[in-house]
């Protein structure tokens, strides 16, 4: 799926398990250039700041704080670095937190090598990467918001609600459809699917709805 | 003789076919889409151009005039085919022997009652008799032979009556017994006090004799009709029970046996499978806990994850689960989970791929669940009839609970089973 003419993206891997890092390194193989690794928040921030990779593969759970600490620390100083969250965890609150901090996507650690390469390529090109699980989390998070009409101000429908089309696209992602299959299913172009997903990502990151922020904490209290 | 009889029969059939043709040419058709009852008024209105409400009013007025309208309406319902149907309800009723017997039995019962009423002097009631008898016959034949949608209409109309007669709660029985006893006592007192001369009781004795005679002559027949009806209903209940049992045994025991055959080289696993199945079967037979069912306190999402872990353990595949929203499990969702489990197991067994995706979404109006694999797919038309999984465990089960099933597959293109069931308005929970 990767575009062979584009230069190989430079990748930095952040994960506290050495075995996992070497596994990912071998799976990514020659498709990308792995320029560094780190096993915790502090070394990751330092390493990324000096090496300035295109894509950071970021474990959601790190001993010295969540992966979101890494994103938050680097977002303003290194806006060109893009983050792809990786996790074996089921905990939606952590995943949503990393995305809201600025990561461009989320995939589970069970992802196949080929799919991971594809996801890295997409993130390197500035696209959003939604795994089926992330799509499920996002649908859940926005469903937890009060319905339109019951909203208290300040409510921005541009940011605080998904359009029916975006919902449809997320549902298909959650059902395991690829972008191409979604495009075929909805009679739209793959580019349009992409723009829907990017728009969802934007809403997820920019919505100031405190319900969305609190959604994570509510889930934790369950 | 036999030949003659057959010829006569043929003649009758020919007559019937001719009459059907005549109806079709005349294009008298009931319009069930616009029906209040059977769509007769709408049909007449469409044929004659008279406003449908006028036709309805005429029927209602005639109904009050000695029940004539009711009998006419039912006859039309019985004899005029619905739009898009080739035959009328009446023609299919000709082959319904139990129905005809039942109609004749009830008609004779009603006739007997009317004869008795006219004997005790309520002669004016006799004028209602023939339309009443015709109506009874019509209702019985329609109720037994109409398409399901029209049967449902009839049942809805009859519901209050059936509900009253079939109500077996203690307080109702007590109430009815008290009223009956009070009436009886009042009647006897009136007779004894009001008519001191016993001579006036003589016509009453006559009535009693006639009742006795009718019961002696027709009683056994009525009894048989009643018994046949009960037997028929029991047979239907048994068939349903059997279907349910078959799909449960298929889901559990037959699946496990198939697994055991496949894992025959691994004694440890065979023992494990056999143990698990034994436990499940015992729980079902002796504790009444259905196989594959989940505990009551479990939520829907937990039920889906249970399917994930079970299928992963039994079949060594990866099941990826995404759920959106959650709610408590009711009987319908139990069925949905059962069907989903079957679909997932099928995918694990037949798709030939290692990853199966389940997506389940709980919305306020409905719960949907998708089981998808990117495996070899199949041609639904070529599935042998004895393969029960898809038809019984999925389709029929969803149908029984008012849900729907959609299968999207083709050889080489993977398979997606979509299950969906409407939710009752009650039992809402927040998705968070």
């Amino acid at each position: 799926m990767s575009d062979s003419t584009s230069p190989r993206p430079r990748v930095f891997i952040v994960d506290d398990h050495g075995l996992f890092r070497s596994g990912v390194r071998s799976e990514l193989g020659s498709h990308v250039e792995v320029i560094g690794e780190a096993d915790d928040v502090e070394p990751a921030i330092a390493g990324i700041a000096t090496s300035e990779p295109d894509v950071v593969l970021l474990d959601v759970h790190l001993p010295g704080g969540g992966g979101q600490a890494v994103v938050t620390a680097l977002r303003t100083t290194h806006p060109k670095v893009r983050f792809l969250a990786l996790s074996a965890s089921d905990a939606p609150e952590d995943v949503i937190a990393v995305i809201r901090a600025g990561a461009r996507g989320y995939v589970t650690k069970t992802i196949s090598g080929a799919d991971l390469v594809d996801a890295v390529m997409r993130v390197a090109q500035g696209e959003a990467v939604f795994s089926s699980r992330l799509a499920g989390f996002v649908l859940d998070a926005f469903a937890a918001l009060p319905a339109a009409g019951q909203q208290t101000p300040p409510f921005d429908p541009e940011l605080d609600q998904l359009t029916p089309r975006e919902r449809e696209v997320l549902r298909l992602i959650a059902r395991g459809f690829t972008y191409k299959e979604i495009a075929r299913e909805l009679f739209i172009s793959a580019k349009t699917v992409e723009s829907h997903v990017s728009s969802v990502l934007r809403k997820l990151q920019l919505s100031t709805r405190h319900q969305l922020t609190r959604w994570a904490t509510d889930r934790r209290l369950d | 003789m036999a030949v003659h009889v057959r010829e006569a029969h043929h003649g009758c059939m020919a007559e019937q076919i001719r009459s059907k043709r005549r109806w079709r040419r005349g294009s008298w058709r009931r319009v069930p889409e616009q029906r209040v009852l059977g769509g007769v008024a709408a049909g007449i209105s469409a044929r004659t151009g008279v406003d449908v409400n006028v036709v309805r009013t005429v029927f209602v007025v005639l109904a009050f005039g000695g029940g004539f309208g009711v009998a006419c309406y039912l006859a039309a319902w019985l004899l005029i085919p619905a739009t898009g149907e080739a035959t009328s309800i009446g023609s299919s009723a000709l082959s319904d022997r139990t129905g005809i017997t039942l109609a004749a039995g009830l008609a004779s019962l009603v006739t007997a009652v009317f004869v008795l009423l006219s004997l005790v002097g309520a002669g004016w009631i006799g004028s209602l008799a023939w339309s009443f008898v015709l109506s009874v016959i019509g209702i019985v034949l329609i109720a037994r032979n109409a398409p399901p949608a029209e049967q449902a209409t009839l049942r809805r109309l009859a519901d209050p009556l059936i509900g009253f007669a079939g109500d077996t709660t203690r307080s109702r029985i007590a109430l009815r017994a008290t009223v009956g006893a009070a009436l009886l006592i009042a009647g006897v007192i009136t007779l004894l006090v009001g008519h001191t001369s016993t001579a006036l009781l003589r016509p009453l004795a006559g009535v009693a004799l006639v009742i006795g005679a009718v019961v002696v002559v027709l009683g056994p027949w009525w009894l048989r009709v009643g018994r046949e009806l009960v037997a028929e209903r029991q047979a239907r209940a048994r068939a349903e029970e059997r279907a349910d049992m078959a799909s449960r045994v298929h889901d559990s025991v037959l699946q496990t046996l198939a697994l055991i055959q496949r894992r025959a080289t691994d004694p440890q696993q065979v023992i494990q499978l056999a143990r698990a199945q034994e436990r499940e079967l015992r729980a079902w037979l002796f504790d009444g806990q259905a196989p594959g069912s989940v505990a009551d306190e479990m939520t829907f999402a937990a039920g889906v994850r249970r399917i994930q872990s079970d299928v992963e353990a039994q079949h060594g595949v990866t099941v990826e689960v995404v759920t959106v929203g959650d709610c408590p499990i009711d009987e319908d969702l139990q069925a949905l989970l059962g069907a989903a489990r079957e679909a997932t197991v099928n995918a694990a067994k037949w798709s030939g791929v290692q990853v199966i995706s389940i997506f389940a979404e709980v919305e306020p109006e409905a719960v949907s669940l998708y089981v998808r694999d990117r495996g070899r797919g199949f041609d639904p038309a070529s599935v042998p009839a004895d393969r029960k999984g898809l038809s019984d465990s999925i389709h029929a089960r969803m149908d029984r609970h008012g849900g729907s099933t959609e299968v999207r597959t083709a050889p080489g293109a993977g398979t997606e089973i979509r299950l969906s069931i409407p939710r009752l308005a009650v039992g809402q929970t927040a998705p968070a």
Side-chain angles (χ1 to χ4, degrees), chain A residues 82-101:
Chain A
R82 295 184 172 119
F83 294 89
L84 175 59
L86 252 165
S87 158
S89 126
D90 265 339
E93 61 269 16
D94 300 332
V95 175
I96 295 287
V98 175
I99 297 285
R100 275 180 70 80

Side-chain angles (χ1 to χ4, degrees), chain B residues 105-121:
Chain B
L106 273 178
S108 73
L109 191 65
V110 171
T111 313
V113 168
F114 276 116
V115 168
L116 286 175
L117 283 175
S118 59
L119 277 181
V120 295

Side-chain angles (χ1 to χ4, degrees), chain A residues 1 172 176-184 193, chain B residues 372 374:
Chain A
M1 287 257 229
L172 287 167
F177 282 60
T178 64
Y179 287 13
K180 257 188 212 154
E181 287 166 334
I182 294 170
R184 215 177 308 137
V193 176
Chain B
R372 181 179 156 95
R374 295 173 176 282

Side-chain angles (χ1 to χ4, degrees), chain B residues 261-277:
Chain B
Q261 286 171 36
R262 227 184 254 191
R263 307 263 165 96
T265 49
D266 184 352
Q268 199 54 46
Q269 204 160 23
V270 168
I271 291 171
Q272 204 183 336
L273 282 168
R275 279 233 184 90
Q277 184 56 67

Side-chain angles (χ1 to χ4, degrees), chain B residues 59-262:
Chain B
F59 269 119
V60 171
V61 169
L62 285 177
F64 282 110
F68 178 70
V70 177
C72 282
Y73 190 94
L74 288 168
W77 192 344
L78 201 59
L79 295 177
I80 301 177
T83 45
E85 296 279 328
T87 58
S88 66
I89 299 170
S91 61
S92 51
L94 283 176
S95 53
D96 173 25
R97 293 188 57 187
T98 320
I100 291 171
T101 324
L102 179 68
L106 273 178
S108 73
L109 191 65
V110 171
T111 313
V113 168
F114 276 116
V115 168
L116 286 175
L117 283 175
S118 59
L119 277 181
V120 295
W124 57 274
I125 287 179
S127 60
L128 294 176
W130 72 268
S131 55
F132 204 88
V133 169
L134 278 183
S135 303
V136 164
I137 294 175
I139 287 173
V140 167
L141 291 180
I142 292 169
R144 291 184 52 93
N145 297 291
E150 293 175 29
Q151 284 183 354
T153 310
L154 263 187
R155 215 172 300 130
R156 214 169 39 244
L157 288 173
D159 232 10
L161 299 176
I162 295 170
F164 182 65
D167 200 343
T168 49
T169 53
R170 273 161 166 263
S171 59
R172 284 292 177 85
I173 292 174
L175 179 72
R176 219 176 292 161
T178 317
V179 172
L183 285 177
L184 189 69
I185 292 166
V188 171
I189 290 174
T190 319
L191 278 175
L192 292 181
V193 173
H195 306 279
T196 38
S197 159
T198 46
L200 282 171
L201 286 175
R202 259 183 222 158
L204 221 59
V207 169
L209 277 178
V210 174
I211 292 177
V214 170
V215 168
V216 166
V217 174
L218 293 177
W221 184 41
W222 292 336
L223 217 63
R224 208 185 63 220
V225 170
R227 223 180 284 137
E228 267 173 21
L229 272 185
V230 170
E232 200 183 77
R233 203 170 58 203
Q234 281 172 344
R236 215 169 28 237
R238 264 201 302 275
E240 256 170 40
E241 181 122 329
R242 235 184 88 80
D244 210 34
M245 183 132 158
S247 77
R248 291 226 158 118
V249 167
H250 172 271
D251 287 1
S252 55
V253 180
L254 290 182
Q255 295 281 14
T256 310
L257 287 176
L259 274 176
I260 287 177
Q261 286 171 36
R262 227 184 254 191

Side-chain angles (χ1 to χ4, degrees), chain A:
Chain A
M1 287 257 229
S2 64
D3 188 355
S4 54
T5 58
S6 68
R8 295 193 303 163
R10 297 157 69 242
V11 174
F12 195 99
I13 305 171
V14 183
D15 195 293
D16 52 330
H17 296 289
L19 211 60
F20 181 77
R21 288 200 304 272
S22 58
V24 169
R25 201 187 257 274
S26 72
E27 269 179 345
L28 291 177
S30 57
H31 299 280
V32 307
E33 188 185 344
V34 179
I35 56 165
E37 287 178 14
D39 62 356
D40 206 349
V41 176
E42 291 308 320
I45 293 172
I48 294 165
T50 50
S51 62
E52 295 207 327
D54 297 317
V55 178
V56 176
L57 279 180
L58 181 66
D59 190 0
V60 172
H61 295 281
L62 293 170
Q68 87 194 82
V70 180
V71 186
T72 317
L74 292 162
R75 193 172 46 185
T76 44
T77 52
H78 298 82
K80 281 193 178 155
V81 178
R82 295 184 172 119
F83 294 89
L84 175 59
L86 252 165
S87 158
S89 126
D90 265 339
E93 61 269 16
D94 300 332
V95 175
I96 295 287
V98 175
I99 297 285
R100 275 180 70 80
R104 301 289 303 167
Y106 165 72
V107 293
T108 47
K109 283 186 177 176
T110 51
I111 192 171
S112 73
D115 287 347
L116 181 60
V117 171
D118 185 46
V120 170
M121 295 298 179
R122 281 169 182 277
V123 171
Q125 284 156 24
E127 290 172 19
V129 172
F130 273 35
S131 60
S132 59
R133 191 168 291 168
L134 176 57
F137 290 164
V138 174
L139 279 173
D140 229 355
F142 278 92
L145 295 176
Q150 303 165 8
Q151 295 283 355
T152 51
F155 169 67
D156 181 359
E158 275 292 299
L159 288 179
D160 298 339
Q161 255 184 353
L162 299 179
T163 65
R165 200 55 154 184
E166 286 163 357
R167 249 167 218 292
E168 226 170 328
V169 169
L170 282 180
R171 259 192 208 116
L172 287 167
I173 295 177
R175 274 159 64 184
F177 282 60
T178 64
Y179 287 13
K180 257 188 212 154
E181 287 166 334
I182 294 170
R184 215 177 308 137
E185 179 84 12
L186 299 181
F187 303 105
I188 53 181
S189 71
K191 263 263 148 315
T192 313
V193 176
E194 236 151 58
S195 78
H196 282 306
V197 176
S198 295
S199 143
V200 171
L201 185 76
R202 199 174 64 90
K203 289 181 181 183
L204 199 59
Q205 290 173 344
L206 296 184
S207 171
T208 49
R209 213 54 211 154
H210 72 276
Q211 277 95 335
L212 197 58
T213 329
R214 248 186 36 207
W215 176 76
T217 16
D218 288 349
R219 296 287 292 215
R220 206 182 313 228
L221 290 176
D222 261 5

